[in-house]
């Protein structure tokens, strides 16, 4: 099994040494992990607000992953990065991504306009918003993010539900449109177990949504969104049963930004919830 969503203490809101994440992955019998820390945000605000690593920490992040690869040959370690998608920052992100040989780039929508809708500090803003419009804007941003062709994987693709806000109206057309665009753009999505540890208490995405992606044959990866070593591979038994329930028989891995398919059965171990 793979865990493609592992953060590091460089982003300012995760704890533990990078080696501790690797050790935890090895003891959980994972075959492959990907570090996927937050790419420096455009401007200085990322590090100041503990949202991402600083611009000048990126070389260190990359070399640390390379060092760990040598120190722990018993597990495959991929170089990933979680890049925020906000319209207007595409050329900044594109330029930064060309500097290193990432195995994959995960695009994540955490902002609607200036609003960090999933940030606990900005949760109050939900009270003054129309939930259906927020969902509409969110799915529109997901489609835009895929269309940039900057990303191999789209992260936690219903993060908008994090605090339990649910739309009243139908969202099925938006889901269909989004899945179609993802398929056209060739991106994979992530089954992200961190939602189980959030107020919504549900994996990202829900089974209902995952079935739509399955219908359009959009590939999947698995991620824990670990911000502490303990969370590596957490609840992956649930993630795998969700994938199967939605009809998936395969997941994908990435190397040098090339996608490879792997049977779900082939992954020898599935980490259970602790
Ligand atoms: Zn984070
Ligand atoms: Fe994220
Ligand atoms: Fe993350
Ligand atoms: Zn994340």
């Amino acid at each position: 099994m793979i865990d493609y969503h592992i953060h590091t203490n460089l982003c300012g809101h995760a704890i533990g040494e990078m080696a501790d994440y690797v050790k935890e992955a090895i003891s959980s019998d994972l075959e492959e992990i990907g570090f996927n820390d937050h790419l420096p945000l455009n401007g200085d605000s990322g590090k100041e607000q503990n949202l991402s690593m600083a611009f000048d920490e990126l070389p260190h992040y990359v070399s640390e992953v390379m060092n760990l690869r040598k120190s722990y040959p018993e597990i495959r370690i991929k170089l990933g990065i979680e890049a925020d998608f906000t319209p207007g920052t595409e050329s900044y992100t594109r330029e930064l991504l060309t500097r290193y040989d990432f195995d994959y780039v995960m695009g994540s929508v955490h902002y609607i306009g200036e609003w960090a809708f999933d940030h606990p500090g900005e949760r109050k803003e939900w009270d003054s918003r129309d939930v259906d419009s927020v969902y509409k804007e969110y799915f529109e941003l997901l489609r835009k993010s895929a269309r940039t062709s900057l990303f191999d994987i789209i992260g936690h693709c219903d993060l908008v539900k994090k605090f339990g806000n649910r739309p009243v109206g139908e969202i099925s057309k938006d889901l269909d449109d989004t899945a179609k665009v993802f398929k056209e753009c060739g991106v994979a999505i992530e089954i992200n177990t961190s939602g189980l540890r959030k107020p919504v208490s549900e994996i990202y995405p829900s089974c209902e949504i995952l079935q739509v992606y399955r219908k359009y044959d959009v590939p999947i990866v698995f991620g824990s969104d670990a911000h502490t070593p303990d969370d590596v591979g957490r609840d992956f038994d649930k993630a795998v049963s969700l994938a199967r329930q939605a009809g998936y028989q395969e997941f994908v891995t990435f190397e040098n930004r090339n996608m490879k398919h792997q049977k779900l059965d082939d992954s020898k171990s599935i980490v259970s919830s602790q």
Side-chain angles (χ1 to χ4, degrees):
M1 183 43 53
I2 61 164
D3 185 344
Y4 265 20
H5 201 146
I6 294 177
H7 287 277
T8 79
N9 55 21
L10 292 172
C11 69
H13 60 273
I15 54 164
E17 296 303 314
M18 287 170 81
D20 297 333
Y21 288 86
V22 177
K23 286 178 202 157
E24 180 65 34
I26 293 168
S27 67
S28 301
D29 266 336
L30 291 172
E31 293 148 327
E32 180 168 325
I33 57 167
F35 280 99
N36 191 45
D37 210 3
H38 300 283
L39 186 77
L41 289 178
N42 196 3
D44 295 328
S45 66
K47 190 67 182 183
E48 282 163 19
Q49 297 179 66
N50 291 330
L51 293 170
S52 73
M53 68 179 91
F55 194 74
D56 54 13
E57 285 172 325
L58 189 55
H60 167 74
Y61 169 73
V62 173
S63 64
E64 257 319 281
V65 173
M66 299 306 145
N67 291 340
L68 290 166
R69 212 176 253 177
K70 286 194 198 109
S71 310
Y72 296 94
E74 59 269 57
I75 186 165
R76 289 190 300 274
I77 302 177
K78 295 291 169 70
L79 177 64
I81 196 87
E82 180 174 17
D84 273 85
F85 172 70
T86 46
T89 57
E90 294 90 339
S91 52
Y92 164 82
T93 305
R94 180 168 291 114
E95 198 284 313
L96 210 46
L97 293 177
T98 58
R99 298 187 189 189
Y100 302 96
D101 294 324
F102 292 106
D103 287 305
Y104 60 85
V105 177
M106 183 180 288
S108 291
V109 172
H110 300 111
Y111 291 89
I112 293 173
E114 301 275 285
W115 178 36
F117 62 84
D118 79 315
H119 196 289
E122 300 191 30
R123 187 174 175 178
K124 268 216 331 268
E125 175 72 15
W126 276 98
D127 300 341
S128 53
R129 297 273 181 150
D130 173 59
V131 175
D132 285 23
S133 321
V134 172
Y135 270 71
K136 277 220 156 311
E137 286 176 82
Y138 176 74
F139 286 116
E140 180 60 38
L141 286 166
L142 283 186
R143 292 190 288 272
K144 278 197 180 138
S145 73
R147 286 194 181 110
T148 62
S149 53
L150 286 170
F151 311 121
D152 307 296
I153 305 165
I154 304 299
H156 42 56
C157 61
D158 65 352
L159 179 67
V160 69
K161 73 182 176 186
K162 176 172 176 177
F163 298 122
N165 302 278
R166 300 289 189 177
V168 183
E170 255 312 311
I171 57 164
S172 53
K173 181 168 186 309
D174 258 308
L175 292 178
D176 251 57
D177 289 350
T178 308
K180 265 186 238 171
V181 169
F182 282 12
K183 181 63 192 174
E184 277 164 30
C185 297
V187 294
I189 57 161
E190 174 203 27
I191 298 189
N192 178 315
T193 57
S194 75
L196 290 167
R197 314 189 295 270
K198 298 291 150 52
V200 69
S201 202
E202 197 181 276
I203 289 176
Y204 307 117
S206 66
C207 190
E208 181 205 357
I209 295 183
L210 193 57
Q211 282 169 337
V212 179
Y213 285 108
R214 175 64 222 129
K215 187 170 87 185
Y216 288 99
D217 201 24
V218 175
I220 51 168
V221 303
F222 294 93
S224 65
D225 218 336
H227 285 76
T228 163
D230 273 355
D231 284 340
V232 173
R234 188 173 284 266
D235 294 315
F236 274 22
D237 52 342
K238 292 176 187 144
V240 169
S241 36
L242 182 72
R244 290 219 169 93
Q245 208 185 323
Y248 280 94
Q249 282 155 8
E250 287 185 348
F251 61 98
V252 292
T253 60
F254 287 89
E255 192 169 332
N256 294 322
R257 310 204 59 180
N258 293 312
M259 187 190 284
K260 240 172 50 195
H261 291 258
Q262 192 172 330
K263 287 256 172 290
L264 260 177
D265 311 325
D266 293 350
S267 56
K268 64 173 195 280
S269 60
I270 287 158
V271 184
S272 61
S273 32
Q274 289 105 344

